[in-house]
Amino acid sequence: MNFDIALHIDLAIEDNDFVLNDSLSPRTLKKADVIGQDIKHRILESGLLVKLIGLRNKNGIAPILTDIELLTEQDDRIKPGTINVYRNDDGTLNITAQTRQYGSLQSGL
């Protein structure tokens, strides 16, 4: 029995609600997807995204992106120094990182 999988299982949440599968049961996430969801929720709860609203100046945006990187790096399941946060032209964020157990991770906000 592979116990690594049992360590990282969670219910999928989008827009503050459970995501249901075809049989109307809550969909589950595994491995790196769980870590990505946890990081996304940590960032949303931190209030850092609110600070980005309306900012267009790169000098104002860069420190907030750095704070998001530092917040993400606090997760022990992520390899330190592998986190990259990108702000897209449409204002959304992409986060990439390497997990300790499951390889690469990509999450969007």
Side-chain angles (χ1 to χ4, degrees), residues 89-101:
D89 292 337
D90 64 358
T92 60
L93 296 180
N94 282 336
I95 300 169
T96 60
Q98 292 292 316
T99 66
R100 293 185 188 271
Q101 289 181 293

Side-chain angles (χ1 to χ4, degrees), residues 6-75:
L7 292 175
H8 295 105
I9 296 176
D10 200 357
L11 298 176
I13 298 174
E14 289 181 12
D15 298 325
N16 294 323
D17 202 0
F18 294 113
V19 177
L20 302 179
N21 61 20
D22 293 336
S23 63
L24 300 179
S25 298
R27 186 169 60 99
T28 58
L29 299 175
K30 297 177 183 169
K31 300 182 179 183
D33 293 333
V34 172
I35 299 169
Q37 178 172 274
D38 290 346
I39 289 169
K40 179 179 176 179
H41 290 157
R42 183 178 294 125
I43 292 167
L44 289 170
E45 292 169 3
S46 74
L48 290 171
L49 295 180
V50 175
K51 295 180 180 182
L52 287 173
I53 295 174
L55 283 181
R56 291 183 178 85
N57 182 341
K58 290 183 182 183
N59 293 330
I61 295 169
I64 298 169
L65 297 182
T66 300
D67 289 343
I68 292 172
E69 283 183 27
L70 293 173
L71 183 65
T72 303
E73 196 162 276
Q74 291 177 3
D75 194 313

